[in-house]
């Protein structure tokens, strides 16, 4: 049995998330089950138990305040990987800081590629498919009139499951809310 991979994502549950999910259904119906999200910690092996990794995540998230990101243009990671995504135009540096902040302890992992903040539209099997999906995605995104801002205040710790699906393990909130005595 191969070791399981884990990730930390922020689900996009607003109109831009619905837009991406509808676009994904059109471009690659086989992955229409995947909810729109931005990855904070891409898939990785963890050291120790899930419980220890979750404890690390909760502790580190409590010290990082929520923030907004604004989406930019459609792009692709071709030729590195046949993935179509929407760039993060504003807030990318905060996402990088959050990524680096969380990439420690039992969650630390030497990633094969540099972290690039983005909202994935679809990951395909071949570069040519990705380039065709990029053209369609650009056209659709240019007509999208909804908000392009995403509030990052809750992350979700996820585990790789069967059939290209991910299992939610626990939501984790950014920042610590303290109630001061009166």
């Amino acid at each position: 049995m191969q070791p399981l991979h884990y990730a930390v994502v922020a689900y996009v549950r607003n109109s831009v998330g619905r837009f991406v999910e509808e676009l994904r259904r059109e471009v690659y119906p086989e992955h229409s089950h995947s909810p729109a999200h931005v990855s904070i910690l891409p898939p990785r092996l963890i050291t120790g138990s899930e419980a220890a990794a979750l404890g690390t995540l909760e502790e580190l998230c409590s010290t990082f305040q929520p923030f907004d990101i604004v989406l930019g243009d459609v792009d692709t990671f071709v030729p590195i990987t046949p993935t179509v995504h929407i760039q993060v135009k504003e807030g990318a540096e905060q996402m990088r800081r959050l990524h680096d902040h969380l990439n420690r302890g039992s969650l630390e992992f030497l990633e094969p590629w540099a972290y690039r903040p983005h909202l994935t539209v679809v990951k395909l099997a071949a570069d040519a498919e990705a380039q065709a999906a990029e053209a369609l995605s650009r056209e659709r995104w240019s007509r999208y009139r909804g908000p392009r801002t995403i509030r990052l205040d809750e992350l979700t710790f996820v585990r790789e499951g069967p059939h290209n699906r991910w299992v939610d393990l626990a939501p984790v909130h950014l920042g610590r809310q303290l109630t001061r005595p009166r």
Side-chain angles (χ1 to χ4, degrees):
M1 182 175 178
Q2 291 199 330
L4 296 173
H5 287 87
Y6 295 81
V8 176
V9 301
Y11 289 119
V12 182
R13 295 185 172 114
N14 60 11
S15 59
V16 75
R18 288 186 295 279
F19 168 85
V20 166
E21 290 168 3
E22 289 170 15
L23 182 58
R24 184 179 302 129
R25 268 191 294 281
E26 180 180 352
V27 173
Y28 196 45
E30 294 85 355
H31 281 189
S32 63
H33 61 272
S34 180
H37 65 277
V38 293
S39 293
I40 306 301
L41 292 181
R44 66 200 45 243
L45 300 173
I46 59 172
T47 56
S49 67
E50 279 182 11
L54 181 57
T56 298
L57 183 61
E58 288 175 322
E59 180 182 329
L60 293 171
C61 283
S62 72
T63 63
F64 207 99
Q65 294 305 308
F67 60 97
D68 292 334
I69 62 172
V70 178
L71 299 174
D73 297 328
V74 170
D75 199 0
T76 181
F77 289 130
V78 170
I80 296 168
T81 177
T83 302
V84 178
H85 65 277
I86 302 174
Q87 299 171 344
V88 174
K89 182 170 83 174
E90 296 175 24
E93 187 55 40
Q94 285 176 289
M95 284 185 71
R96 280 187 202 89
R97 282 197 305 272
L98 179 57
H99 167 274
D100 294 348
H101 182 71
L102 298 180
N103 190 30
R104 60 176 78 178
S106 56
L107 296 168
E108 187 171 357
F109 186 72
L110 181 59
E111 297 165 21
W113 299 294
Y115 177 70
R116 288 183 47 194
H118 66 280
L119 171 58
T120 299
V121 175
V122 65
K123 182 174 183 179
L124 296 151
D127 290 357
E129 292 174 332
Q131 290 165 333
E134 177 190 17
L136 176 65
S137 298
R138 278 184 193 276
E139 189 272 325
R140 294 286 199 291
W141 186 239
S142 72
R143 293 187 301 174
Y144 174 76
R145 296 293 173 243
R148 295 178 181 223
T149 300
I150 300 168
R151 180 76 172 162
L152 295 185
D153 57 0
E154 180 182 277
L155 307 181
T156 303
F157 186 44
V158 299
R159 178 183 60 227
E160 177 182 34
H163 311 295
N164 290 321
R165 295 182 186 261
W166 289 83
V167 177
D168 292 353
L169 298 176
V172 181
H173 293 275
L174 291 178
R176 181 175 286 154
Q177 302 295 328
L178 298 177
T179 305
R180 299 187 188 276
R182 295 188 189 255

